[in-house]
Structures are given as C-alpha cells and as structure tokens.
Amino acid sequence: EKPYTKIFSEFHHSTNKSVAPSEGSIGINYGWSGDVKYHMGANRSIKSGETVETRLTLANNPSHLEYVNPVVQGFARAAQEDRSKPGYPERNEDSAASIVIHGDAAFPGEGIVAETMNLSQLNGYRIGGTIHIIANNKIGFTTESVDSRSTHYASDVAKGYEIPVIHVNADDPEACIAAARMASEYRRLFKKDFLIDLIGYRKYGHNETDDPETTQPLIYKKVKAHPTVSRLYADKLIAQGAFSEDEYAKIKGEVVDRLKAAYEEMKQREGQEAVHQTPAPLGEATPKPTGVPLAALREINSELLTWPEGFKVYPKLQRILERRADALNDGEKVDWGHAETLAFASILSDGRPIRITGQDAERATFAFRNLVLHDPETGATFCPLHRLPQAKASFAIHNSALSESAVLGFEYGYNVFAPETMVIWEAQYGDFANVAQVLIDQFISSGRSKWSEKSGLIMLLPHGYEGAGPEHSSARLERYLQLSAEENWTVANLTSSAQYFHLLRRQASLLGTDDVRPLVIVTPKSLVRNPRAASAPEEFEKGSFRPIVEQPGLGRKADRVERLVLCSGKVAIDLEDALDKEKPGQWDWLHIVRVEQLYPFPAQEIAAVIARFPNLKEIVWVQEEPRNMGAWSYAEPRIREIAPAGAPVRYIGRPERSSPATGFQQVHALEQQFIVSQSLKPSPTLTHNLGR
C-alpha cells in the first residue's frame, strides 16, 4: 500500500534540485547519496494500533540482489529473540517469518543462495524456515536458461537441503495462492524452508527502456500474443458464470482511473518528498568515559572463574584461566582475551545484549577467548557469561558455518533490526573477509548513505605479519580505508588490551543512537599473548579510548626531537621492543606515536603532538604491510596537510607488491628487522648531536 503518488514521484524526479551544490566541490553534490528507487526498502504495520499487529519489513537491497538473503534472515532472527534476560536469548520461531524472492538465473548462479540455505538448521541461525519464491521468467537479463544453469529446474539447488519444492504456473492465480498457503502451513508445522518455483514470463524487457526482441525474438513473438494473467482469470470467471465482461471492464477502469488521478496529483505538487536524508554528523568529539571501577571488575572477574558444581574444565585451559584471578591486582597485567571478556561482562551488566559469531568464535582462532568451556569427561559445555549475576541482558555466542558472506550478511541484518544489540562478527583470519566483500561494499560501508540504514556492527579482523604467508597476514586494511568517507564507520588498529576494552565499551554506548556507526577493528594474532600488549588494571578504571597513543619515555626534550614516527598496530610493539634493547636516553631525537584510530583520522590530535616539537625535521610513516597496501596511501595526504613547512613526510616499510606477504619465515624476519632498524636509524638530514 505504498501511495501511487510517491511511486510516480520517484520515477518522475531524478534529483532534488532545490539543494545547492556544496561550496568548493567539483561537479554537483546534492547533499545526499541515496539509491535508485527499486533498491529502497519499506516498513508497514498491518492492523496498526490494534491488539494484534503485524509488522512488514521490506529490506533495502543492492543490485547484487541475492546478497540481501542473509540480511533478511538476520532480521527474522532478531525479531524472534527476547534479549532482555541473562543467558542465551529466548526465541519464538512463530513470532516472525522471512520471505525471500529470487531470480531464476540468480538462484542457481549466485553462491550466496546455497550459503544462506545452509544456515537454516544451524543453532546460531535457525529461524524456523524461510519461504523462498523464485520469480521465474526463464531469462536472466538477455541470457536464456540453457546458458545460465546446468540443472533442469532453476530450483534444483534446493534439493540438497531436503525441503519441498512446488512448481506453479503464474498464469493460474488460484494455484499460486494454494502454493503460498501450503508453504505457510508447512513452515508452521515443520519449521523448515519451503520453495515455490513461480514459472511465468517477463512481458517487457529487463527495464523500462530495454528491447528484448533483439536477443529473444521468438520468445517475445509468443509473449506479445499471449493473454495477460488478468485476462485469463477474467475469462475463467466469466466461463464459470461468476463474473461478467462488464464487471471486468468496470473494475479495470476503476484501477486505471486511480492511477491516472495519482499521477495528476503528483504533477501538481511543486516539491518532492525527500526519499533520503543525509547521514547525521557524529556528535561531540569529547569522548565519554568508558572506565569501570576496579572493585566492580574484580567482582565480575571472580564470577567468571566460578564453574558449576561437578563441571570439569580441560586441565591445561583451567590453569590458564585461573591465572586471571590475580590479574586485576596492583602490579599485574590484563591480556587481550581477559580484557575482552571483562568488556563483554561489563557491557552485559549495563543491560546491553551481545551476539558474537564467527568460524571459531567460541574459542577464537588463536585460542585466547575460550568463552565456551568443554568438560573433557562428559562433553558438557558452559559459558561463564550465561551465569553472570551482574548481567542484565542476553549473551549469544556461536561458531558459524565455514562462510563469510552469508554469516556476515546475517549479522548485519540482525544488528539493523535489533539496533540496541552489540553484534560482532569475527573472521578466522582478517584476509578471509575478502570473500564477504559484497556485503562490506554494498551494505556495511554504504548502507547509511544509500538507505539511511543504521548499523553498529563490529567486525574483528585478525591481522599481523608473523611470517605466516600471504593468506594469514593482512586483513587488507587498505580496502576499509578506501571505503571510508562521510564518517560512515570507525576503523581501528590497536596495540593494547585496555584500548580494546575502552573501544568496545564506547561502541556499546553508541548503539541505538544517531552517532552509531559500524566498527572495523584490526585485531592482533601474536599480540594476544604479548606482555607488551597487556595493560595495567588501573587503565581499565580510568579514561576512555584514545585515538593516538604516544610511546612512553620519548619526546621529553621537545627541542631535541627531529623525527616523528607515526605507525599503527603490531609494528609499534616491534619498535618498542627494539627501543628497550638499546641504552635509554639515546632517543632524544625521536618520538613515536601510535595511530590507534585510522578513520576518522585523528588529524587534530597528531597536529597537537607536532606543535610540541619546534625543530622537527621529518615525519615518517612506518608499517609492515607493502607500500601499496596498509594505511600509507590513505594516511600520506592527511599527514602532509598537518606537517610543518619544510618537514618531509617519508615512508618506511615493504616495497610495493602484488601479494600481501612472503611465505618464507626467514625472508619475513629479515624484512621486519630492516623496517625496525630503518625506523630507528637517523637519516643524513637529521642534525642532532649524539655523536653518530
């Protein structure tokens, strides 16, 4: 029941010309991005205001249209779950259902279809079945089925999932209704998917201007001669004596008149309703305190190490976990996994539900999380966050299918539908997110700009150069920075457990507000157990997330500093390690700043550091990724804008390469040693008096 006037308006107007171009822009900027009309979603309430009300949600979708399938199912799962109580969310599969309409060429052709159907019976993704409809016109743009699939039916992909498939003639409305009723009843009884192959034809071309006769002349000779479904159904009713030709003509005339009236009304309107609003800017830059009193953290920590009577923890893991008992005492340190668990627990105690999934989310790929414990004798499992007395909301954690696209799309949909929930997807390795690039490009990075769709989804992408080869090193950080604009998300590369703790809590505080944005965190691999990445207990009680972190012990004599090193992530720890191996006090000429938040770029914070050093001779960006990857191409122009006059901006790191990393450990070690040594070696242009 979308008003016809609005539909006609969207076809009639291509731009909102009342908005002036932005000052200084190249070309025309009408103030918002938006999307084409047939990608827009919608919301409608049926029986609004009554005791029983049905909410109908049409998901926004891009032209990679099958990629919306897992998003829709994420919507349904979020709608089915009650997250207001501790433990796993309570789920009612009868409270929401999903319907997905596919193309006949896309259903067998796009792998995301099978990926999504594979989720249907998995614990973390069950929704009691989806009703699938293939809108089968037997042509994919200009490609006939003989060239688009190897199976007889477009629906044959579904056979492997043991679900009913009905083929129905789209020329028979009553048969179509019967198929739909059967699908609904089957889902209600058996909580499984159901597929309707709705076989019809495409009367016109692929779009409003396409001429299909250039590629399918014989088919369209038949289509032009074929009566429409309304004519066929009218003839059937007339033959049965239930209807007259005059009644048919009258009803058809009334419909056409309503359309004409709506079109004339649209033309009379001077303006056009806004179909899209520009994303709201972020709120005040002053960060909110995200610390938690140590007393509260110690109480939580004690509960996390309390297991049910009779439950036995794997001995090796038990010893590791029990070491956390004293980690919050003076003089101790909290490692990465412990900091994450404390962040989750404190967020739950604030009443914020959490959902985290990934291929190894329960344990984590690098075995630092271990939030689901396994009894080695009975096989029983236990999650300490499910029995946390302080928790005021649910906690869901699931190992996912070996899938990136479908799982990430599901989590995005869940988060959009349940914006109050902290939803986290973790890649097994950061590189593996490449497989989900369509979801990242079309939904996560741009959904707010195109559709005003708000998301606070968190992506955890393990990243770090440790000689593990091309596919286990780089999270392709450069891709996320290339997609960064209009404050569309936050991209961070962290070096300490406290920073991770505060960033998670900051994200939780933004959920459900206009300031919420997705969060991309480049998480560590070797650093999860590196003592240099562990943080003192007091750092969790005080302060908040810091976009930049200065290397302690450097920059004390401001007039002596001639080189400023900017870096991000693990390489900063490598530099710190090298500094500690040399004599203290010989680094007066050097200062190092860790850029923990890459986007939005902390230009003001870095500029304030630069302003402290009057004799700065150069600024160097250091990274372990190749020159054409990592953050250098993104950071360079931003650094040059704030660099003092006469101070060059240089790069130290690996040269440009087509592959992210070497597969040989010895080569990796030599490259890494060279990067560190060059970063700490004075260049000939420096004039400090240290006797070198």
Side-chain angles (χ1 to χ4, degrees):
E1 294 188 356
K2 183 175 181 177
Y4 292 133
T5 52
K6 189 170 181 62
I7 295 172
F8 288 139
S9 177
E10 290 170 359
F11 274 84
H12 191 71
H13 301 276
S14 58
T15 57
N16 184 351
K17 297 180 181 177
S18 62
V19 182
S22 59
E23 186 177 350
S25 64
I26 299 174
I28 297 176
N29 176 6
Y30 284 123
W32 50 266
S33 172
D35 201 355
V36 292
K37 49 195 164 288
Y38 41 87
H39 289 176
M40 298 293 190
N43 289 282
R44 181 186 168 215
S45 288
I46 302 170
K47 297 185 178 179
S48 178
E50 297 186 19
T51 304
V52 178
E53 183 175 329
T54 298
R55 177 179 175 183
L56 186 65
T57 301
L58 175 67
N60 298 299
N61 68 276
S63 282
H64 290 79
L65 44 89
E66 295 293 336
Y67 279 80
V68 80
N69 299 355
V71 176
V72 170
Q73 296 194 12
F75 281 11
R77 177 81 176 212
Q80 291 173 353
E81 291 190 334
D82 179 359
R83 296 167 289 276
S84 63
K85 300 173 185 176
Y88 267 113
E90 296 178 2
R91 185 161 50 89
N92 177 7
E93 292 179 350
D94 292 326
S95 63
S98 65
I99 302 170
V100 179
I101 302 175
H102 309 269
D104 58 294
F107 192 84
E110 297 283 355
I112 188 72
V113 175
E115 272 193 50
T116 305
M117 295 187 80
N118 183 54
L119 301 180
S120 65
Q121 298 300 307
L122 306 184
N123 290 333
Y125 306 92
R126 280 184 58 94
I127 55 173
T130 293
I131 296 175
H132 300 269
I133 302 171
I134 298 178
N136 192 339
N137 56 42
K138 296 177 282 189
I139 298 177
F141 201 171
T142 66
T143 302
E144 296 180 41
S145 57
V146 68
D147 292 316
S148 67
R149 66 174 185 267
S150 296
T151 58
H152 182 69
Y153 291 109
S155 57
D156 283 346
V157 172
K159 288 180 177 179
Y161 299 98
E162 298 182 337
I163 66 172
V165 178
I166 286 184
H167 308 276
V168 61
N169 186 347
D171 270 348
D172 188 342
E174 292 185 13
C176 295
I177 291 171
R181 286 176 172 161
M182 183 182 292
S184 180
E185 188 67 7
Y186 180 90
R187 181 200 175 274
R188 187 184 70 81
L189 286 172
F190 300 107
K191 310 300 183 190
K192 289 184 67 178
D193 287 15
F194 192 101
L195 175 58
I196 298 172
D197 186 8
L198 182 65
I199 300 173
Y201 58 91
R202 188 179 67 189
K203 185 169 177 61
Y204 302 107
H206 182 74
N207 57 39
E208 296 86 355
T209 60
D210 185 44
D211 180 2
E213 293 185 75
T214 61
T215 52
Q216 277 82 23
L218 298 182
I219 290 175
Y220 276 90
K221 187 180 293 184
K222 293 181 179 181
V223 167
K224 283 188 173 182
H226 187 70
T228 61
V229 62
S230 60
R231 181 69 258 178
L232 289 170
Y233 192 46
D235 290 344
K236 178 181 176 181
L237 293 175
I238 291 168
Q240 292 175 350
F243 212 58
S244 70
E245 183 65 39
D246 289 343
E247 286 175 300
Y248 169 69
K250 180 182 178 184
I251 292 172
K252 183 176 180 179
E254 289 172 351
V255 171
V256 172
D257 287 344
R258 284 203 303 273
L259 292 170
K260 287 180 177 178
Y263 185 69
E264 290 301 320
E265 181 184 346
M266 178 274 300
K267 289 201 297 183
Q268 295 301 319
R269 294 182 178 180
E270 292 183 1
Q272 177 198 11
E273 292 182 45
V275 295
H276 181 87
Q277 300 297 324
T278 185
L282 286 170
E284 296 297 324
T286 305
K288 297 179 181 178
T290 49
V292 179
L294 271 177
L297 287 178
R298 288 180 180 128
E299 287 182 11
I300 287 172
N301 196 48
S302 177
E303 295 292 345
L304 292 172
L305 297 173
T306 302
W307 304 308
E309 186 176 349
F311 185 88
K312 293 181 174 59
V313 180
Y314 181 62
K316 180 180 177 181
L317 178 58
Q318 182 173 346
R319 290 192 295 272
I320 293 171
L321 293 175
E322 286 177 343
R323 287 202 292 267
R324 294 180 175 182
D326 301 323
L328 290 169
N329 295 340
D330 291 342
E332 300 294 331
K333 291 289 185 75
V334 177
D335 66 21
W336 195 273
H338 193 187
E340 181 188 75
T341 303
L342 291 174
F344 288 166
S346 64
I347 290 166
L348 292 172
S349 70
D350 291 337
R352 179 75 65 192
I354 299 173
R355 174 182 167 92
I356 176 171
T357 71
Q359 284 151 12
D360 303 283
E362 294 181 358
R363 189 199 76 168
T365 303
F366 307 102
F368 69 86
R369 181 172 296 125
N370 294 299
L371 279 178
V372 178
L373 308 177
H374 295 255
D375 189 315
E377 296 181 7
T378 66
T381 60
F382 170 68
C383 177
L385 289 174
H386 288 157
R387 290 207 346 193
L388 187 69
Q390 293 89 345
K392 300 182 183 68
S394 67
F395 179 77
I397 182 167
H398 298 283
N399 286 340
S400 74
L402 188 63
S403 158
E404 288 81 27
S405 291
V407 170
L408 183 57
F410 192 101
E411 303 309 332
Y412 174 82
Y414 192 106
N415 176 241
V416 167
F417 203 89
E420 83 290 350
T421 305
M422 174 176 271
V423 180
I424 304 169
W425 175 73
E426 182 177 56
Q428 193 174 55
Y429 285 87
D431 314 53
F432 296 176
N434 294 348
V435 182
Q437 199 66 42
V438 172
L439 270 304
I440 295 164
D441 289 353
Q442 306 296 337
F443 290 88
I444 300 170
S445 69
S446 59
R448 190 179 185 109
S449 177
K450 293 192 295 188
W451 311 313
S452 294
E453 192 162 79
K454 297 176 185 176
S455 168
L457 178 70
I458 300 173
M459 295 172 58
L460 303 180
L461 307 176
H463 174 95
Y465 279 58
E466 285 104 0
E471 274 70 60
H472 296 103
S473 296
S474 175
R476 297 290 192 174
L477 177 60
E478 62 279 359
R479 295 183 180 174
Y480 301 95
L481 296 175
Q482 184 185 40
L483 292 168
S484 297
E486 299 181 290
E487 297 182 327
N488 59 330
W489 56 16
T490 300
V491 180
N493 190 6
L494 312 178
T495 58
S496 79
S497 61
Q499 282 282 84
Y500 184 42
F501 174 88
H502 286 296
L503 185 56
L504 288 175
R505 287 188 50 78
R506 185 182 78 171
Q507 184 73 359
S509 72
L510 296 174
L511 295 171
T513 72
D514 285 340
D515 286 345
V516 73
R517 301 290 193 275
L519 172 61
V520 180
I521 306 181
V522 176
T523 54
K525 292 151 51 183
S526 64
L527 292 191
V528 297
R529 292 179 180 82
N530 191 316
R532 295 187 183 278
S535 301
E538 57 268 22
E539 294 185 57
F540 297 87
E541 183 176 40
K542 300 175 183 177
S544 56
F545 173 73
R546 294 177 289 167
I548 65 169
V549 173
E550 298 184 55
Q551 179 67 40
L554 297 180
R556 292 173 179 172
K557 297 180 180 179
D559 59 337
R560 298 287 299 273
V561 173
E562 297 184 347
R563 174 187 289 172
L564 174 63
V565 168
L566 301 176
C567 56
S568 190
K570 174 182 161 291
V571 74
I573 302 297
D574 292 342
L575 292 174
E576 182 180 278
D577 190 54
L579 289 173
D580 284 354
K581 292 177 180 177
E582 302 290 339
K583 295 178 182 179
Q586 69 169 330
W587 305 109
D588 287 352
W589 57 278
L590 175 71
H591 192 50
I592 298 175
V593 171
R594 304 176 184 182
V595 183
E596 303 273 298
Q597 177 179 291
L598 288 162
Y599 185 81
F601 190 70
Q604 291 184 353
E605 290 88 344
I606 296 173
V609 173
I610 292 172
R612 299 206 316 261
F613 306 126
N615 296 318
L616 198 64
K617 297 291 190 300
E618 64 176 1
I619 299 174
V620 178
W621 179 268
V622 177
Q623 67 179 36
E624 38 182 23
E625 302 87 356
R627 187 185 184 106
N628 57 317
M629 302 178 193
W632 165 243
S633 296
Y634 159 83
E636 180 190 11
R638 291 163 174 80
I639 297 170
R640 291 193 185 281
E641 285 184 359
I642 57 177
V649 176
R650 297 198 302 114
Y651 166 84
I652 294 177
R654 288 173 169 82
E656 290 187 354
R657 286 183 175 156
S658 58
S659 178
T662 177
F664 298 97
Q665 181 69 40
Q666 298 90 336
V667 175
H668 160 78
L670 287 171
E671 290 178 343
Q672 204 75 0
Q673 183 181 5
F674 179 79
I675 291 170
V676 172
S677 64
Q678 289 298 302
S679 303
L680 303 181
K681 177 183 177 181
S683 63
T685 59
L686 301 189
T687 58
H688 55 82
N689 299 312
L690 295 179
R692 289 190 179 85

